[in-house]
Amino acid sequence: MLFAGYLVPLIILAVLLVSAVRILREYERAVVFTLGRFTGIKGPGIFLLIPLAQKMVKVDLRVQVLDVPSQDVISRDNVSVKVNAVMYFRVMDPERAIIQVEDYQMATSQLAQTTLRSVLGQHDLDQMLAERDKLNDAIRTILDAQTDAWGIKVANVEIKRVDLDESMVRAIARQAEAERSRRAKVIHAEGEMQAAEKLAEAAEILGRQPQALQLRYLETLTAIAGDKTTTIVFPLPLDLVEPLLRRNAAG
C-alpha cells in the first residue's frame, strides 16, 4: 500500500519530465514564451521546458519556396497579361518572425502578390518579356526591404511565365514579321549602296587606263567561253571603232 501511494506521484513526475524534454533538428529553432512573455530562443539539440509555464513555437530556418499565384496585370501600354512567379526566402530572426507578424508565410505571400502587380504594372509588355532579370531584381529588392521588419530575408524572385491572349499573340507575331521585313529591306538597301560605291571606285580606276577596260572585256569572254552556251554577246569597245569611223568620215 505504501508503494502504491508513491506510484502515482512518480508516474506524474515522469510524465512531466518527458513532456519537458524537447529535441530540435539543426535547422530548427524554438521561440520560448514563459507565462506568455518572450524569454529566448532555444535549439538545436535537446533542452527542457517548464511544463505548463513555458510554451514554444517552432521555426524552420531553411530556405522556403513560395509559389506566387498567377496575377492579372495591366502593363503600362494597356496590355492585359497573367504573370506568376516563384520566391525563395528564409527566416533570419525567429523572434521577429513570430512576434511581429501573425503568420509570416501568409504575409509574405500576400506581399509578394501585391508587389508583383505593382512593379510589372509600371513597365511595358516588351520590358516584361525582354528584361526579366531587371524586374526580378526590382521585385526582390522591394520585398526584402519590407520583410526585413519580420526577420525574413528574400533571397531570390523569378518570374516564371507571362501569358498573353491569343489576339495579342497574333498581333505580336504580325509585328515581328513586319520588323523582319523592315530589316531585310534595310540590309538589301545597304548592300546596294555598298555595291554602288565599289562599282564607282572600279569605274574610276578603269577610266584612268583604257587598256584595263579592254583586258576586262577579254576576261569576260574567257569566262563566257567556259560555259556551255551557243550565243556569245561581245561588247565592242568604242576605242576600237572610233578610229575606223574617223577614217571613213575623212575618206
Side-chain angles (χ1 to χ4, degrees):
M1 295 296 294
L2 183 62
F3 178 76
Y6 287 107
L7 182 60
V8 174
L10 289 176
I11 293 175
I12 295 175
L13 181 60
V15 171
L16 291 177
L17 289 176
V18 171
S19 63
V21 176
R22 294 290 188 272
I23 299 176
L24 293 182
R25 299 179 179 89
E26 182 65 32
Y27 54 83
E28 294 176 332
R29 298 294 184 273
V31 181
V32 180
F33 296 90
T34 303
L35 298 178
R37 298 182 64 86
F38 171 74
T39 54
I41 305 294
K42 292 187 177 182
I46 186 171
F47 59 94
L48 298 177
L49 291 180
I50 301 175
L52 303 179
Q54 289 185 324
K55 301 291 183 180
M56 77 169 191
V57 179
K58 190 185 300 183
V59 180
D60 195 328
L61 300 184
R62 293 177 295 180
V63 175
Q64 302 183 39
V65 181
L66 178 63
D67 189 8
V68 182
S70 180
Q71 301 295 310
D72 292 326
V73 179
I74 298 179
S75 63
R76 190 171 59 181
D77 52 350
N78 296 324
V79 178
S80 179
V81 297
K82 290 183 178 294
V83 182
N84 63 340
V86 60
M87 182 176 68
Y88 302 87
F89 70 96
R90 63 178 301 181
V91 177
M92 303 298 296
D93 190 343
E95 176 186 354
R96 287 189 292 174
I98 297 301
I99 297 176
Q100 298 298 328
V101 61
E102 179 181 3
D103 187 345
Y104 68 87
Q105 291 180 333
M106 178 62 69
T108 304
S109 175
Q110 295 297 323
L111 182 61
Q113 297 177 36
T114 304
T115 305
L116 182 66
R117 291 194 302 267
S118 176
V119 172
L120 295 184
Q122 301 174 8
H123 295 79
D124 298 334
L125 177 62
D126 292 342
Q127 294 176 328
M128 293 184 192
L129 299 176
E131 300 179 2
R132 289 195 180 185
D133 292 340
K134 294 182 180 179
L135 295 177
N136 293 337
D137 187 64
I139 296 172
R140 185 200 60 80
T141 302
I142 295 174
L143 288 175
D144 190 31
Q146 296 186 0
T147 57
D148 183 66
W150 304 339
I152 294 175
K153 173 67 176 179
V154 178
N156 194 15
V157 177
E158 292 289 341
I159 298 175
K160 294 197 299 183
R161 293 185 60 184
V162 178
D163 296 329
L164 302 173
D165 294 334
E166 289 191 8
S167 59
M168 183 55 60
V169 173
R170 290 193 295 268
I172 293 176
R174 290 194 298 268
Q175 180 183 0
E177 184 178 357
E179 178 66 19
R180 289 193 297 267
S181 177
R182 183 188 68 84
R183 292 180 181 178
K185 292 178 180 179
V186 170
I187 294 174
H188 180 72
E190 290 178 351
E192 291 291 336
M193 183 178 66
Q194 294 176 2
E197 291 176 353
K198 295 300 181 181
L199 288 174
E201 294 177 2
E204 183 180 357
I205 295 174
L206 292 174
R208 297 173 188 171
Q209 296 291 335
Q211 294 81 2
L213 184 60
Q214 296 178 8
L215 292 176
R216 288 296 302 165
Y217 287 150
L218 295 176
E219 186 176 352
T220 302
L221 284 176
T222 303
I224 294 174
D227 297 334
K228 296 180 180 180
T229 58
T230 58
T231 303
I232 297 178
V233 179
F234 177 70
L236 185 63
L238 294 178
D239 295 339
L240 299 177
V241 179
E242 187 176 1
L244 298 176
L245 294 176
R246 291 179 180 177
R247 183 176 300 176
N248 187 21

